[in-house]
Amino acid sequence: MLTTLATALLGALGLIMGNKVSAGSKLRHMWAAFLAAIGGVLSLYFGYVSHLNLLAMIGNEYFNSYDPLYLFFSHAQFYSLLAGTFFFADFAVHDFNQETPT
């Protein structure tokens, strides 16, 4: 489920940035957009590594849900998505609060 949310975050970020650039407005607060994208990409990466770790446990016929390596990557996936969501919200609030030139 976190993979779906990270993909949606990246899609929404691309949509907002695409509309902002096509409208011809100034590119302010781009640092928040880049940090949101980094958080989304890191969440996808950590989810992939966590999945590979789970497959290795199943292949070795030894499953331990408290394995430190498995817990690290699963927690890193959640917290990087949380950070990406925070920066996306910051970017979206600043983007929608700017008045459009007429």
Side-chain angles (χ1 to χ4, degrees), residues 29-75:
H29 302 287
M30 292 303 291
W31 61 270
F34 291 127
L35 289 175
I38 288 171
V41 168
L42 281 176
S43 178
L44 289 173
Y45 172 74
F46 288 136
Y48 175 69
V49 173
S50 180
H51 173 73
L52 289 179
N53 191 10
L54 185 64
L55 288 178
M57 279 192 239
I58 291 171
N60 293 333
E61 296 179 1
Y62 174 74
F63 180 76
N64 181 10
S65 61
Y66 297 108
D67 182 30
L69 191 62
Y70 176 71
L71 286 176
F72 171 77
F73 286 115
S74 63
H75 288 130

Side-chain angles (χ1 to χ4, degrees), residues 63-96:
F63 180 76
N64 181 10
S65 61
Y66 297 108
D67 182 30
L69 191 62
Y70 176 71
L71 286 176
F72 171 77
F73 286 115
S74 63
H75 288 130
Q77 180 187 14
F78 173 75
Y79 288 120
S80 61
L81 181 62
L82 186 66
T85 304
F86 173 75
F87 288 118
F88 175 74
D90 180 54
F91 173 69
V93 165
H94 284 99
D95 184 45
F96 291 135

